[in-house]
Structure formats: C-alpha cells, structure tokens
Amino acid sequence: MKNYPPEFKADAVALYESRPEATIRSVAADLGINPETLRNWVRAAGVCRPRGRRTQERAQPPAPLEAENAALPKKVRELEDEHEILRKAAKYFAGETRW
C-alpha cells in the first residue's frame, strides 16, 4: 500500500470538489491513483455531492412572474368577454338596440 503525503490527498479531494461533472473514477484516473483510495479520502474529508450521472440539476418551480405570464392570456379573454357584455348592455339601455 502506498503512502501519499497529506498535501497530495488534500489536493486530490479539492480537484474532485472543483469539478462537479467529474466522477471519482475519472479524477482518480487523471491522478493515477486507485478510485477506492480517492473515494476514502473524499469520505474522510466529508465531501457530499450527488454522484455520477445523477448530477443533473433539478427542475426549478416557475418563478412568480412566469406563472403570472402563463395566466395572462386567460385573463385577457375573460376581460374581452366582460367588455363585450358591457358594450351590449350599454347599447340596450341607451335604446340603440331594436329587438
């Protein structure tokens, strides 16, 4: 079993932390060390992050403005309908309709 200096261990863990897209296996291959060795160093350092292919960003809920913008077309239609009803009522009460 090889003994690595503490500086090398710290640098290896820092390299893994600085590359969120990288896996332990890929960083270990870049450094020429066993992946399990690096995994043990990472665990000892208390580094926590999602592993491997699961590092996709989670979908964010829509911002309040985006949700409001999505509801605006429906609101416009409602207001146009109300406007049309009020226009017809005004014509009726003004005696302009001939029913």
Side-chain angles (χ1 to χ4, degrees):
M1 180 195 234
K2 279 187 166 181
N3 285 330
Y4 295 95
E7 297 83 20
F8 179 77
K9 293 176 183 181
D11 289 343
V13 171
L15 179 64
Y16 172 70
E17 284 182 293
S18 70
R19 294 170 47 190
E21 75 285 348
T23 61
I24 287 180
R25 187 175 302 229
S26 67
V27 173
D30 290 346
L31 297 174
I33 60 175
N34 187 314
E36 287 304 313
T37 301
L38 179 59
R39 182 171 285 112
N40 290 334
W41 296 344
V42 168
R43 284 183 186 151
V47 176
C48 295
R49 74 171 197 196
R51 299 180 300 166
R53 295 184 187 128
R54 291 180 246 163
T55 59
Q56 300 169 356
E57 289 187 30
R58 294 188 176 139
Q60 298 290 332
L65 289 179
E66 293 172 349
E68 185 178 346
N69 286 342
L72 286 177
K74 181 180 177 185
K75 185 67 173 175
V76 168
R77 280 191 304 278
E78 290 174 0
L79 291 174
E80 288 172 345
D81 291 343
E82 290 175 6
H83 181 265
E84 184 64 22
I85 291 168
L86 290 173
R87 189 182 64 74
K88 288 179 181 179
K91 273 186 173 180
Y92 176 79
F93 287 114
E96 295 177 352
T97 60
R98 298 189 179 141
W99 288 20

